[in-house]
Amino acid sequence: MDTGAADPAAVLDALDRRLVHALQVDGRAEPGRIAEVLGVSARTVTRRLGRLLGTGAVRVVRMPDAREAALGALLLRVRVLRGRVEAIALALAAQDGVPFVDVMLGGQEVSAVVLAEASARDRLLHGRLPATDAVLESTAHAVLHLFADASAWRCGALTADQEAALAPPPAPAGPPPALDALDHRLLDALGIDARRSHAALAAALQVPESTVRRRLHRLGAGGLLRTHVSVDPRLVGAAVDANLWLDVEPGRLAATGEALARHPQVHGVLATSGPSNLMAAVFCPDHAALYRFQTGVLGPLGVRRVETAIVARAVKRAGVRLRQLP
């Protein structure tokens, strides 16, 4: 499916977009706190969030520390026989160590991020993919540096003051707190639903609710409760999702990566191995806006060459299979 134009019936209204932005700032923010900042009733926030989260249109998941996970990560591009792309995309999405899977425009390429440990990664790259007759070619690019990941992107529906009011306190400098077995169980329980209540977590882990509250406060203060909002970008007016493979002069690589990481349309920037040395993932309202991004943003940064790969369909984001729009 070409995402060149969003279906107006599928685009969220202004309040829903503000709620999505609020969850992007703090995925575990209480409805009452969100309501106070947005100037609406807590009942309205609760009802709207219940609908968005209940239908699966929006999901909030816990995201591990991206800079740590990025060490050794691979960006995988798989060229597939026409008509077999769905099977390959779903097979990749079924892998625990593959948190991001996209089907690219044209229907003959699947893009994925591989975070699996070395033995599982090698089995995938050197065993399963070559043994599949549907795979024509695969290339893997090592992530050398992470400038920004998907959890840093905001949909632009809140003011700077509203975003600041919702932002949790910054994590202190230094190493995160040491984790014990219960901490790991709590973090795992938040993996596919980071908004699970204290009561639900306590029941699932069979520990007192007061213990859950105390542990989550400690984990949050230590910066270990990073969350990611999984939502089809078309729902917030971003009809075009593209991976831009960039060729940048080595001496300008760091400055270019940092500049792109600050841009509001960018939802990921990584320095990579291979013929391109930087990859930027961008959301745009339409193809004309993507053109303006390349000429108005990339041009002044001195990018020498751009390969544009447009996402036709996101299959998996941050470890979560996405609900597909009609």
Side-chain angles (χ1 to χ4, degrees):
M1 177 173 59
D2 184 353
T3 57
D7 176 2
V11 176
L12 300 179
D13 67 19
L15 178 55
D16 281 344
R17 292 195 198 192
R18 293 165 71 199
L19 293 177
V20 168
H21 191 150
L23 294 178
Q24 288 175 326
V25 176
D26 183 358
R28 286 188 59 80
E30 297 287 343
R33 180 163 159 247
I34 296 175
E36 181 180 358
V37 172
L38 300 190
V40 297
S41 72
R43 181 178 179 181
T44 296
V45 170
T46 300
R47 185 181 73 252
R48 292 286 192 116
L49 286 180
R51 177 174 54 81
L52 291 172
L53 298 169
T55 61
V58 175
R59 297 182 67 176
V60 183
V61 300
R62 188 186 75 84
M63 199 166 184
D65 183 75
R67 298 188 186 277
E68 178 180 342
L71 298 177
L74 297 178
L75 303 181
L76 183 64
R77 302 181 71 177
V78 183
R79 195 161 63 90
V80 183
L81 282 173
R82 187 174 296 277
R84 303 289 295 279
V85 68
E86 183 76 9
I88 298 299
L90 293 177
L92 285 170
Q95 304 294 312
D96 290 337
V98 181
F100 292 84
V101 179
D102 293 324
V103 173
M104 310 310 291
L105 188 63
Q108 290 182 283
E109 182 179 326
V110 177
S111 174
V113 176
V114 180
L115 299 180
E117 54 90 23
S119 61
R121 179 193 65 203
D122 291 345
R123 285 195 300 271
L124 175 65
L125 296 180
H126 308 307
R128 295 177 182 175
L129 286 177
T132 304
D133 60 5
V135 173
L136 299 174
E137 181 185 18
S138 65
T139 57
H141 307 273
V143 174
L144 306 181
H145 183 78
L146 176 68
F147 293 99
D149 74 320
S151 68
W153 181 71
R154 306 290 183 257
C155 68
L158 298 183
T159 67
D161 288 343
Q162 289 172 327
E163 184 168 326
L166 285 166
L179 304 181
D180 62 17
L182 179 56
D183 291 328
H184 284 291
R185 291 172 63 202
L186 267 173
L187 293 175
D188 289 344
L190 294 171
I192 60 172
D193 182 4
R195 289 189 62 81
R196 294 180 74 178
S197 68
H198 297 106
L201 290 168
L205 301 181
Q206 297 185 324
V207 295
E209 187 173 338
S210 59
T211 299
V212 169
R213 290 181 179 276
R214 185 173 65 253
R215 293 294 186 110
L216 288 182
H217 177 76
R218 173 174 170 269
L219 293 171
L224 295 176
L225 290 183
R226 297 176 71 248
T227 56
H228 171 72
V229 177
S230 178
V231 57
D232 189 309
R234 291 174 294 173
L235 291 174
V236 290
V240 175
D241 183 4
N243 294 338
L244 306 180
W245 297 86
L246 311 176
D247 179 12
V248 181
E249 290 182 15
R252 303 183 66 173
L253 182 60
T256 301
E258 290 163 3
L260 288 174
R262 295 190 295 268
H263 196 280
Q265 289 177 244
V266 173
H267 63 98
V269 187
L270 310 101
T272 73
S273 66
S276 300
N277 56 5
L278 194 68
M279 196 282 282
V282 300
F283 287 140
C284 297
D286 50 36
H287 290 130
L290 178 58
Y291 171 78
R292 291 192 296 272
F293 182 91
Q294 295 191 22
T295 56
V297 177
L298 298 184
L301 290 175
V303 174
R304 296 183 297 195
R305 186 182 63 85
V306 182
E307 178 191 355
T308 303
I310 295 178
V311 176
R313 180 165 61 86
V315 177
K316 189 178 184 182
R317 291 284 168 94
V320 175
R321 287 284 308 278
L322 295 184
R323 180 183 73 88
Q324 299 303 317
L325 295 177

